[in-house]
Amino acid sequence: DTGVSQDPRHKITKRGQNVTFRCDPISEHNRLYWYRQTLGQGPEFLTYFQNEAQLEKSRLLSDRFSAERPKGSFSTLEIQRTEQGDSAMYLCASSPQAPRGEAFFGQGTRLTVV
Amino acid sequence: GNSVTQMEGPVTLSEEAFLTINCTYTATGYPSLFWYVQYPGEGLQLLLKATKADDKGSNKGFEATYRKETTSFHLEKGSVQVSDSAVYFCALSADGGSNYKLTFGKGTLLTVNP
């Protein structure tokens, strides 16, 4: 068990460009979450997958954001037409069927939009 | 909605001092409560949890008791070490069907000096 893996660890992009992040959860975990963390704040929920189904999206997730989890394995988070306000740490977490809330986090992808 | 309020940091202590980080919450239903820790350069790790009123979570010398009457989950450690220097996040997972998403506080930076 190698834990939750995220790629890349750092991404610097120009405003207006599209970026895509990848998350590989712990293999037996059917729940996968994306969170966003800005400086001095706790992580904020973005979206949730159970297997391949995206079951909830936060109001924080604008139309420029899209997430997928094909085949219920890895997940991608894409941001289109990036803005400076998108600069943040994007965290992926996975959790087993039970117990409730016990999530395992990756090290995150730090996005800087210049 | 659900929310978590935790003690503002930063907190600076000398080695072997007593630690308390306050955390209070607002939630519908009966949430599970967590403390996560983020060591420098690492991802979020679950430190301890409690799933019902009066439960005490404990790990690595840290303890927190789920107090429903005061809606609190304060983190304590009797004697901190330099290696405890990290950011600590209080979080809850409330009843929400199958989505066990976490709501986090803003985090408290702890620095322990030798």
Side-chain angles (χ1 to χ4, degrees):
Chain A
D1 180 2
T2 56
V4 178
S5 176
Q6 291 189 246
D7 184 70
R9 293 289 306 280
H10 303 274
K11 178 71 177 179
I12 300 174
T13 191
K14 291 183 178 178
R15 190 173 47 188
Q17 298 294 304
N18 299 344
V19 295
T20 300
F21 310 141
R22 177 180 171 122
C23 171
D24 287 275
I26 294 172
S27 57
E28 63 269 24
H29 288 178
N30 64 339
R31 291 184 167 83
L32 186 146
Y33 302 83
W34 286 97
Y35 291 84
R36 181 169 66 190
Q37 185 178 17
T38 53
L39 198 62
Q41 302 295 318
E44 295 175 295
F45 169 77
L46 291 179
T47 191
Y48 158 63
F49 289 85
Q50 183 163 330
N51 300 311
E52 67 276 7
Q54 187 176 20
L55 297 184
E56 185 172 342
K57 292 194 290 186
S58 162
R59 284 172 291 180
L60 292 175
L61 213 63
S62 78
D63 291 344
R64 297 183 297 105
F65 287 70
S66 62
E68 295 182 339
R69 191 183 182 197
K71 302 179 183 178
S73 56
F74 71 92
S75 176
T76 58
L77 178 68
E78 180 183 16
I79 309 174
Q80 296 183 325
R81 305 181 303 281
T82 52
E83 301 172 357
Q84 285 191 321
D86 297 331
S87 296
M89 178 75 84
Y90 290 85
L91 299 171
C92 177
S94 68
S95 68
Q97 190 74 18
R100 186 174 80 188
E102 189 165 332
F104 296 79
F105 283 81
Q107 292 187 288
T109 295
R110 181 167 296 284
L111 173 66
T112 303
V113 182
V114 298
Chain B
N2 302 324
S3 66
V4 174
T5 302
Q6 65 180 99
M7 194 168 107
E8 296 272 337
V11 174
T12 302
L13 296 173
S14 297
E15 207 164 22
E16 299 183 2
F18 183 84
L19 169 71
T20 299
I21 301 177
N22 291 336
C23 171
T24 57
Y25 67 89
T26 302
T28 54
Y30 298 94
S32 294
L33 302 175
F34 305 85
W35 278 99
Y36 278 82
V37 59
Q38 189 169 35
Y39 298 104
E42 298 185 16
L44 281 163
Q45 301 174 25
L46 178 64
L47 179 61
L48 54 83
K49 66 178 183 181
T51 58
K52 61 183 187 295
D54 300 324
D55 268 2
K56 177 185 283 187
S58 61
N59 186 25
K60 299 182 181 179
F62 291 89
E63 293 183 340
T65 301
Y66 189 143
R67 299 287 187 202
K68 191 170 185 294
E69 65 276 13
T70 54
T71 61
S72 65
F73 193 56
H74 305 320
L75 182 68
E76 296 183 336
K77 186 174 186 181
S79 175
V80 294
Q81 305 300 312
V82 172
S83 57
D84 294 325
S85 297
V87 181
Y88 292 81
F89 293 92
C90 185
L92 68 83
S93 175
D95 286 325
S98 67
N99 184 354
Y100 297 167
K101 65 185 176 186
L102 292 159
T103 300
F104 287 88
K106 292 186 177 183
T108 302
L109 173 62
L110 170 67
T111 301
V112 180
N113 295 319

